[in-house]
Amino acid sequence: MLRYMTAGESHGPALVAILEGMPSNLPVTAADINTELRRRMGGYGRGGRMKIEQDEVQILGGIRHGKTLGSPIALVIQNRDWENWKTVMAPEAEAAQGEPDRPPMTRPRPGHADLIGGLKYDHLDLRNVLERASARETAARVAVGAVGKCLLRQFGIQVVSHVVEMGGIRAKTEGLSAAEIVSLAETSPVRCADPDATQAILAKVDEARSRGTSLGGVFEVLVVDPPVGLGSYVHWDHRLDGRLAQALMSIQAIKGVEIGLGFETARRFGFEVQDEIFYQPPGQEATEGEGFHRRTNFGGGLEGGMTTGQPIVLRAAMKPLSTQYKPLASVDILTKEASKAGVERSDITAVPAAGVVGEAVVAFVIAQALCEKFGADSLAEMQRNHAGYVAYLKTR
Ligand code: EPS
């Protein structure tokens, strides 16, 4: 089974990921991964940290001469900021004497993992929690997802994203193709495909900054050209919709996930939300699709926990980041006195970056489902199995 783990603290020496179960002979280069890492670092509204970091992957195992070996893939991303935190974050016991200018963090931020993590893991310095709870960890997930994208590319599957809403400002993208959305979003400073909405969002980010607060939003992830029948209806943990929702929900600060029409389906009649089924014999001049096909995609490319072959459409809602430059009420965990929450350096918003992270976690889940369906010892074996399946589908 394709699986991965990450380790590393936000201001520790590095982030580490181990990805296991990728087929052998898959072309993967550091450049494939670095492209995605760089996309994640962008977006208007990021804080000072992104001026320090220049995320680049080091491949420590599992790839030789540009191809996967089938063995675990070990990836490392150094934290440049580590230079400024060497004593505070040192693994050595002697360093615990601390630095006078960086006292323990004892005033938990509402909405962050600080308080509950401190209680649960018995920490009096909440830095022990926030360092790992930080969304810095998503750099490692993006590296893993980039390898997943390399696999998907071999099967003609693309995973893209764009910001559809920020601070209550909604993008208008009706009538645009996925390709148009992507090219517009990639040139927008907030990764939004609507130029008017982009301008309004930039102003809203500035307003949030000047008011000492943060801004949330919604991003959409699209999986273009997935094969029919990834995932399964037979068991709860095989259902691909559930697995994709979990992956997106696990991204820091995500509070809601929708698939296709999502919550809107609940407001409509039944006949308004199902994607009717049509058939056109293969080989005949295809006007709107060969074989079984649909004219709508309300279901977001998923039926019964399986891919329909239409684009998979997922949206995730990110709350405004919990660090507030104008801090909210909190309590000092040592003195128990009412106190303003601690202020850690942070971003005003990270919704544009979260979209890139969304692509990565979705790419991983789709890659995992692809490996399950087509076997995953070698790329050639997967391609043979995939070709056989495609040929079989043409007979139906
Ligand atoms: C983060 C706080 C900020 C962000 C960070 C996530 O970091 P710092 O405290 O070092 O300024 O920049 O995001 C990243 C470092 C990143 O690579 O995305 C947090 O508290 O979650």
Side-chain angles (χ1 to χ4, degrees):
M1 189 175 98
L2 192 65
R3 56 180 182 161
Y4 75 95
M5 290 183 94
T6 74
E9 275 68 43
S10 179
H11 303 97
L15 296 166
V16 181
I18 294 185
L19 171 63
E20 192 213 35
M22 272 288 163
S24 65
N25 297 324
L26 172 71
V28 179
T29 65
D32 291 322
I33 301 171
N34 289 335
T35 303
E36 297 298 322
L37 290 177
R38 257 170 237 134
R39 289 179 66 232
R40 193 200 69 95
M41 296 187 71
Y44 192 73
R46 294 281 254 156
R49 177 75 182 270
M50 289 304 107
K51 293 191 181 76
I52 299 172
E53 300 299 341
Q54 264 192 349
D55 291 341
E56 273 196 11
V57 76
Q58 248 180 299
I59 299 171
L60 293 193
I63 296 175
R64 180 168 180 241
H65 300 161
K67 287 188 178 170
T68 56
L69 298 172
S71 50
I73 298 169
L75 306 173
V76 173
I77 302 159
Q78 307 286 344
N79 291 324
R80 282 189 161 197
D81 209 9
W82 161 244
E83 286 300 321
N84 306 316
W85 293 79
K86 272 187 164 159
T87 313
V88 182
M89 293 302 295
E92 295 80 22
E94 313 78 79
Q97 313 317 325
E99 277 189 351
D101 55 339
R102 288 208 209 268
M105 156 62 157
T106 58
R107 293 170 293 131
R109 292 160 294 173
H112 212 282
D114 303 347
L115 175 63
I116 310 303
L119 296 175
K120 179 175 165 68
Y121 287 97
D122 192 10
H123 289 310
L124 296 177
D125 182 355
L126 301 179
R127 175 155 304 285
N128 291 341
V129 176
L130 70 89
E131 282 286 337
R132 178 65 187 164
S134 162
R136 174 73 187 147
E137 181 262 345
T138 61
R141 292 205 243 179
V142 166
V144 166
V147 180
K149 280 188 174 186
C150 290
L151 179 66
L152 300 186
R153 200 178 298 142
Q154 296 292 328
F155 295 87
I157 308 166
Q158 216 195 341
V159 184
V160 296
S161 75
H162 62 118
V163 167
V164 294
E165 181 174 340
M166 264 172 81
I169 298 153
R170 289 186 182 205
K172 293 192 185 69
T173 55
E174 290 81 26
L176 294 178
S177 70
E180 287 166 335
I181 287 175
V182 172
S183 77
L184 284 164
E186 292 300 312
T187 53
S188 156
V190 285
R191 308 197 58 258
C192 171
D194 175 346
D196 292 338
T198 293
Q199 289 312 314
I201 289 168
L202 294 179
K204 198 82 176 175
V205 174
D206 290 341
E207 183 192 337
R209 184 185 286 110
S210 68
R211 295 175 70 177
T213 190
S214 52
L215 209 63
V218 179
F219 63 82
E220 185 170 81
V221 179
L222 302 167
V223 183
V224 186
D225 289 331
V228 176
L230 296 184
S232 174
Y233 60 90
V234 302
H235 223 131
W236 66 271
D237 55 351
H238 297 314
R239 287 181 174 265
L240 199 64
D241 42 8
R243 291 162 60 180
L244 289 164
Q246 195 280 335
L248 285 168
M249 199 61 113
S250 75
I251 299 169
Q252 289 81 340
I254 299 301
K255 283 297 188 185
V257 174
E258 282 189 326
I259 298 175
L261 268 189
F263 274 61
E264 177 59 25
T265 51
R267 302 181 191 113
R268 298 190 182 185
F269 285 116
F271 70 86
E272 293 174 302
V273 301
Q274 321 301 342
D275 300 301
E276 290 184 290
I277 301 168
F278 302 91
Y279 185 80
Q280 167 125 2
Q284 289 191 6
E285 200 175 322
T287 45
E288 56 178 21
E290 269 194 357
F292 297 105
H293 62 271
R294 321 295 174 103
R295 292 174 184 161
T296 53
N297 187 17
F298 299 133
L302 290 154
E303 262 180 358
M306 298 170 291
T307 51
T308 63
Q310 294 171 285
I312 302 175
V313 183
L314 306 153
R315 277 181 303 281
M318 186 182 205
K319 70 172 182 175
L321 298 176
S322 44
T323 300
Q324 304 288 299
Y325 283 105
K326 207 165 153 194
L328 299 173
S330 184
V331 173
D332 187 297
I333 60 163
L334 299 181
T335 65
K336 311 292 190 291
E337 279 168 17
S339 165
K340 291 289 183 194
V343 179
E344 292 285 318
R345 182 181 56 189
S346 185
D347 306 315
I348 302 302
T349 187
V351 179
V356 178
V357 179
E359 288 176 33
V361 300
V362 166
F364 171 79
V365 172
I366 301 296
Q368 194 182 46
L370 206 66
C371 289
E372 286 161 14
K373 177 106 184 86
F374 300 115
D377 287 335
S378 74
L379 180 61
E381 179 181 40
M382 280 186 84
Q383 284 168 329
R384 281 196 301 274
N385 293 341
H386 177 260
Y389 180 64
V390 170
Y392 148 77
L393 284 176
K394 288 212 164 103
T395 69
R396 294 295 306 265

